[in-house]
Amino acid sequence: MAGMKFGIEAEYALIRPDGAFADFTNTSFSEVQPVIDALPFYGHSELRVGDAGIRVKNWYVEGDERFDESGRSTGLAFKGVEIRTPVFSTIEEALGSLKQLRLMLEAELRSRSWSLTAIGFNPCTASYAPAYTPWEKEFHASHIENSLPEISTLSYGPDLNFSRAVDTPEAVIGTVRRLTYYSPYIVPFSFSSPLFAGELWEGLSYRTYRRSGIRPAALAHLTGRHGHPLVKKADPSSQHLRIEFKAFDMIGDDELLGELFRLVVGISMADGTALPGMADAADRKLHQQVALSGFADDAVHQESARVVAIARDTLKAEGFSGDFPLLEHMLAARLTPAHAMREPFARRRDWRRSARFPG
């Protein structure tokens, strides 16, 4: 895709040596950081480092960073490990990098009897409710990206990043508003969080049900002042014009992740008359509806199929690969990845944290 750049950030959960799901209740930053320390440093300048110095490599320990009343970092409530690819000129290169970085992480974890898994929401711990300081509360209210840490600390997803050199800031904001509008029709393809507090949840994506409408579906990363709720300051400035789609559940299948990345790009490139919808905030009610029913809802199924067809035709018209065999299979069967995840737990209704987590 000429003149375009692509990158992936992917949040993975960890399984402890005893088989328990690792989270802030049983795992600390210092327990996992040696894994990251053992991995190489590549010095990709386009990756954000952050104030605490945690985000240095292509891998970092992720969680809810805590601050005192003066805004000084005091620790981290553990969530998992994030992998960040450098920037590439094709989606395929970004996917290849993600796979390579994940294999390196898995090898280091395996040497310590840990393992990695992909899931949309913590299946064991029902809540995270720390006593936040006034400084922390002000920080959480400062931008939509900082909101609802009580849910982001328990949920996992990929951030799909891309940019076009020819875009203006106004065009980038328009693309983010379009992706925000069509988010409820594409997120079901990723659903992978049908578990809550060790039991089957009533729907297909508890993550989508809780986060949508409060946390962003998509963001624009821009330099300068723009006064739009879906704009975040580009950091570093080389990330100016970056578009970030954030609403998918975490996906363990790289082939599916690739199709979803192409779908997002196809939507962004489509003619405005074909996909005219735009929104400044994700439709919480509609996201909650699809989180419960997925493609069983006829209206959602019809619009999802239309959006996929438009994205496919747009990509092909631009000379790019636009086939979506996995997405089309899910539409035909009206299934999501969460349906397959539900089956073993439907046969084991009394599964609890003490059982081994099926990674």
Side-chain angles (χ1 to χ4, degrees), residues 23-96:
D23 63 21
F24 63 92
T25 67
N26 59 10
T27 303
S28 67
F29 171 86
S30 60
E31 195 173 3
V32 180
Q33 182 59 32
V35 175
I36 307 301
D37 291 339
L39 294 168
F41 171 65
Y42 294 118
H44 296 299
S45 61
E46 67 268 33
L47 299 181
R48 179 175 178 268
V49 174
D51 297 330
I54 296 172
R55 299 175 176 88
V56 176
K57 298 183 178 182
N58 294 83
W59 313 261
Y60 68 87
V61 178
E62 189 174 21
D64 181 28
E65 188 178 355
R66 302 302 310 279
F67 300 89
D68 65 16
E69 292 81 356
S70 302
R72 291 174 297 190
S73 179
T74 60
L76 184 96
F78 179 79
K79 167 182 173 176
V81 173
E82 177 161 313
I83 299 176
R84 307 180 293 174
T85 74
V87 173
F88 292 95
S89 58
T90 68
I91 292 174
E92 291 71 24
E93 288 174 306
L95 287 167

Side-chain angles (χ1 to χ4, degrees), residues 12 35 39-40 42 59 83 95-111 114 116 254:
Y12 291 96
V35 175
L39 294 168
Y42 294 118
W59 313 261
I83 299 176
L95 287 167
S97 175
L98 176 65
K99 181 178 180 179
Q100 180 184 27
L101 293 168
R102 186 177 63 242
L103 289 173
M104 295 171 68
L105 173 61
E106 286 179 318
E108 189 59 41
L109 287 167
R110 190 164 52 248
S111 73
W114 291 65
L116 174 151
D254 288 346

Side-chain angles (χ1 to χ4, degrees), residues 35-322:
V35 175
I36 307 301
D37 291 339
L39 294 168
F41 171 65
Y42 294 118
H44 296 299
S45 61
E46 67 268 33
L47 299 181
R48 179 175 178 268
V49 174
D51 297 330
I54 296 172
R55 299 175 176 88
V56 176
K57 298 183 178 182
N58 294 83
W59 313 261
Y60 68 87
V61 178
E62 189 174 21
D64 181 28
E65 188 178 355
R66 302 302 310 279
F67 300 89
D68 65 16
E69 292 81 356
S70 302
R72 291 174 297 190
S73 179
T74 60
L76 184 96
F78 179 79
K79 167 182 173 176
V81 173
E82 177 161 313
I83 299 176
R84 307 180 293 174
T85 74
V87 173
F88 292 95
S89 58
T90 68
I91 292 174
E92 291 71 24
E93 288 174 306
L95 287 167
S97 175
L98 176 65
K99 181 178 180 179
Q100 180 184 27
L101 293 168
R102 186 177 63 242
L103 289 173
M104 295 171 68
L105 173 61
E106 286 179 318
E108 189 59 41
L109 287 167
R110 190 164 52 248
S111 73
R112 303 163 190 261
S113 300
W114 291 65
S115 59
L116 174 151
T117 192
I119 193 168
F121 197 88
N122 187 318
C124 301
T125 301
S127 64
Y128 170 66
Y132 286 117
T133 66
W135 189 96
E136 290 173 318
K137 292 177 180 179
E138 185 176 348
F139 173 73
H140 298 155
S142 66
H143 193 276
I144 188 173
E145 171 71 348
N146 304 328
S147 64
L148 207 66
E150 298 90 341
I151 295 302
S152 62
T153 305
L154 296 168
S155 63
Y156 307 82
D159 294 339
L160 305 181
N161 302 285
F162 64 101
S163 64
R164 291 178 288 247
V166 298
D167 274 350
T168 63
E170 292 72 25
V172 168
I173 294 173
T175 294
V176 167
R177 296 182 67 228
R178 176 186 289 184
L179 291 171
T180 298
Y181 179 90
Y182 289 102
S183 171
Y185 303 109
I186 64 176
V187 291
F189 292 114
S190 72
F191 282 170
S192 66
S193 49
L195 308 171
F196 178 69
E199 299 285 353
L200 279 176
W201 184 58
E202 60 182 303
L204 301 168
S205 176
Y206 188 76
R207 178 182 188 267
T208 297
Y209 191 88
R210 285 299 310 275
R211 80 179 292 280
S212 297
I214 302 175
R215 290 185 64 82
L219 286 174
H221 294 257
L222 301 171
T223 57
R225 295 181 178 273
H226 299 274
H228 193 280
L230 298 180
V231 172
K232 189 173 183 180
K233 180 182 177 181
D235 182 18
S237 59
S238 60
Q239 294 192 7
H240 179 57
L241 303 179
R242 174 164 69 99
I243 297 164
E244 180 182 22
F245 189 77
K246 305 175 66 67
F248 289 134
D249 281 12
M250 191 53 214
I251 299 159
D253 183 331
D254 288 346
E255 185 178 354
L256 175 57
L257 183 61
E259 287 195 20
L260 291 177
F261 206 162
R262 292 196 298 275
L263 175 64
V264 167
V265 173
I267 292 170
S268 75
M269 297 172 67
D271 186 89
T273 58
L275 295 178
M278 290 190 177
D280 293 326
D283 187 326
R284 182 167 176 77
K285 183 177 180 181
L286 183 53
H287 274 90
Q288 290 186 330
Q289 176 184 327
V290 299
L292 289 166
S293 59
F295 296 125
D297 183 292
D298 288 339
V300 170
H301 179 265
Q302 182 178 357
E303 182 65 0
S304 297
R306 189 181 77 88
V307 170
V308 168
I310 291 171
R312 180 188 61 235
D313 293 345
T314 298
L315 290 171
K316 289 186 174 181
E318 296 290 336
F320 306 128
S321 172

